[in-house]
Amino acid sequence: MKPLIKWPGGKSREYKNIKDIIPKNIDKYIEPFFGGGGIYFNLEPKKSIINDVNDNLMSLYTFLKTQDNEFKSLVTQIANDWDNLSIIARKVHEDTKKYKNNISSQDISNEISRLSKDKSLPQLINGQEHFWDLLRDGLIDKLNRIVDLEVKNGQFNDKDFYDQIVAVTKGAYYYYIRDKYNPANKKEEVAQFFFLREYCFGSMFRFNKDGKFNIPYGGASYNDKTFHTKINKSFSNEVNKLLKNTDIHREDFRSFFKKIDSVLNWDDFCFFDPPYDSEFSEYDKQSFGKKDQEDLAKIFGNLKCKGLMIIKKTNFIYDIYKKEQEKNSKIQIDQYGKNYSYNVRGRNEREVTHLLITNYEFEKRNVQLSF
């Protein structure tokens, strides 16, 4: 099964490379840094305990586990809005294409103001006046940029121009949900979170100095993607069956392991995909520093169950797990390379070396350690 939510650094694509390392006949599956749950959803364990400090993320899984109808109505409303934006975009395109070669900010503002009062257009989620304000500003900016691009690269054809208008219209709604929409309760907040994770650029996380999520809309390539497909999958019987057999926690990893320590045994399996060691390491807006990494290494070294960790190799990380290996001869440390996409603008790729650390033996000849 594919994960339900896009998450930076997710390991879903790596499952095929590590599935032969994962023990067979697991009693309980445990994951302390759950995120998108790439391994969990691929593995589909019969019994699980999952944890993440991101409260909205774990609330999402909880609402899906309980099949919360109010939450489903909220995300469905957003999905209906998203589809209706195509109708609005067609009207915006018809009424503003005359300004492409004769940009008048005042005329465009008047046109958008008139459209905002057009009763024949679909009505959107509460606070839609902010949507029209964002659409006006986005449209003026987009038309100016299109003119600049045409000077450099030649004329946009009508389809390309229309696709850009759709992207501006849908982008305005994305920015309304991201920046202007004030959720009245936790379920509205999680519905907002679910939508933003699906449509933000590159499934990235980044926050401004005030702690506000500030990743931009994914752009024209997302124009035709319907949110209904993701909602239907998330509320499906197969997902509900998996989550019904899953205990969901939302706390610091140290508290999590103290809470579950008494129920762990050697037939259980714990997968670790922790924050990486870097100068500016953060995990859900919270710093994750060297003391956290050291505490995590000690927990790994003393696990009562089988454990597999994937983590970026740095000298510091290698040293702390080498120390645990000296105390626990079961620990094995291997390494492999992987390309990661990064950079909001260019999606450049960089290669990093990862450590694959276990506290149990596996047949290395059956494993492809090049991701």
Side-chain angles (χ1 to χ4, degrees):
M1 189 187 308
K2 291 183 179 180
L4 304 179
I5 192 164
K6 296 193 297 183
W7 206 257
K11 295 298 184 290
S12 183
R13 287 184 293 180
E14 278 90 330
Y15 175 72
K16 65 182 183 296
N17 297 313
I18 65 172
K19 64 180 181 179
D20 291 330
I21 303 175
I22 297 172
K24 305 297 186 287
N25 303 314
I26 294 169
D27 184 10
K28 293 186 294 293
Y29 175 85
I30 299 104
E31 189 165 353
F33 305 96
F34 191 69
I39 303 302
Y40 165 88
F41 283 106
N42 273 281
L43 193 61
E44 297 184 33
K46 293 180 179 178
K47 194 189 307 182
S48 305
I49 309 173
I50 63 174
N51 177 71
D52 201 286
V53 293
N54 189 304
D55 184 59
N56 282 336
L57 175 68
M58 303 319 276
S59 293
L60 169 63
Y61 293 127
T62 300
F63 294 148
L64 297 178
K65 177 179 178 176
T66 60
Q67 296 279 286
D68 191 288
N69 287 327
E70 183 182 355
F71 176 71
K72 186 175 183 180
S73 295
L74 290 166
V75 290
T76 299
Q77 181 184 12
I78 293 175
N80 288 339
D81 279 356
W82 190 252
D83 290 350
N84 284 333
L85 287 165
S86 296
I87 300 172
I88 294 174
R90 283 196 292 272
K91 188 65 174 172
V92 172
H93 175 251
E94 291 169 10
D95 286 16
T96 61
K97 60 184 177 183
K98 60 190 172 189
Y99 300 117
K100 182 163 80 80
N101 298 313
N102 186 24
I103 298 171
S104 166
S105 297
Q106 187 58 56
D107 288 346
I108 293 170
S109 295
N110 292 340
E111 198 72 38
I112 293 300
S113 179
R114 188 185 67 77
L115 286 174
S116 71
K117 299 177 179 66
D118 188 340
K119 299 300 183 184
S120 69
L121 293 176
Q123 297 299 295
L124 303 175
I125 202 166
N126 291 339
Q128 63 184 33
E129 68 277 0
H130 293 302
F131 161 76
W132 291 103
D133 289 342
L134 289 164
L135 177 56
R136 177 199 63 224
D137 295 344
L139 189 61
I140 292 169
D141 177 67
K142 176 64 76 173
L143 290 175
N144 279 297
R145 284 194 285 132
I146 284 175
V147 169
D148 290 342
L149 286 170
E150 287 185 334
V151 169
K152 295 176 183 176
N153 304 319
Q155 196 84 1
F156 272 52
N157 62 43
D158 194 59
K159 182 185 182 305
D160 288 341
F161 179 65
Y162 173 70
D163 287 344
Q164 292 302 312
I165 297 302
V166 176
V168 170
T169 305
K170 294 203 166 187
Y173 185 83
Y174 172 90
Y175 294 120
Y176 163 63
I177 294 292
R178 192 191 74 174
D179 300 331
K180 303 294 184 182
Y181 178 62
N182 293 313
N185 53 51
K186 188 63 178 179
K187 290 176 184 178
E188 285 193 0
E189 183 180 335
V190 176
Q192 174 192 41
F193 166 83
F194 193 16
F195 168 76
L196 293 175
R197 293 311 309 149
E198 185 67 12
Y199 287 94
C200 71
F201 184 92
S203 73
M204 297 181 70
F205 263 119
R206 188 183 64 201
F207 302 89
N208 64 20
K209 59 183 177 58
D210 297 319
K212 287 281 291 181
F213 179 71
N214 66 350
I215 293 296
Y217 171 51
S221 62
Y222 287 12
N223 284 352
D224 297 327
K225 186 168 76 165
T226 174
F227 195 30
H228 283 290
T229 301
K230 180 56 64 75
I231 294 168
N232 292 337
K233 173 64 184 294
S234 299
F235 279 90
S236 67
N237 290 333
E238 62 173 343
V239 169
N240 185 245
K241 181 181 178 181
L242 183 58
L243 289 172
K244 281 287 188 185
N245 296 311
T246 301
D247 292 335
I248 300 172
H249 298 256
R250 59 199 81 191
E251 50 197 301
D252 177 87
F253 69 91
R254 285 162 285 238
S255 301
F256 172 67
F257 277 105
K258 283 180 182 177
K259 187 173 288 187
I260 68 169
D261 183 72
S262 62
V263 301
L264 295 182
N265 63 72
W266 194 245
D267 291 327
D268 299 331
F269 170 70
C270 186
F271 176 67
F272 293 80
D273 183 21
Y276 292 166
D277 171 42
S278 66
E279 186 177 352
F280 303 106
S281 181
E282 287 198 349
Y283 187 53
D284 188 38
K285 297 185 288 184
Q286 301 180 41
S287 62
F288 199 94
K290 287 185 166 31
K291 176 65 165 60
D292 301 291
Q293 298 285 4
E294 288 170 341
D295 289 348
L296 181 60
K298 290 174 184 175
I299 287 172
F300 187 88
N302 293 296
L303 272 181
K304 293 181 179 178
C305 65
K306 297 180 183 74
L308 164 62
M309 175 173 296
I310 293 177
I311 189 166
K312 177 184 172 183
K313 181 183 179 182
T314 66
N315 290 336
F316 170 73
I317 291 295
Y318 183 80
D319 287 345
I320 61 175
Y321 284 94
K322 198 67 180 173
K323 287 178 183 176
E324 293 303 319
Q325 187 182 47
E326 290 168 2
K327 293 183 284 185
N328 182 350
S329 60
K330 291 181 179 179
I331 291 177
Q332 301 183 71
I333 303 174
D334 295 281
Q335 63 185 47
Y336 63 92
K338 184 185 189 307
N339 285 330
Y340 268 109
S341 295
Y342 78 116
N343 185 338
V344 168
R345 293 289 177 189
R347 292 199 183 196
N348 298 319
E349 297 220 326
R350 56 183 171 183
E351 168 133 350
V352 297
T353 298
H354 283 73
L355 298 177
L356 189 150
I357 308 169
T358 63
N359 64 353
Y360 58 91
E361 292 186 0
F362 61 89
E363 290 277 346
K364 294 185 183 181
R365 60 188 173 83
N366 294 329
V367 178
Q368 176 66 40
L369 290 179
S370 177
F371 286 35

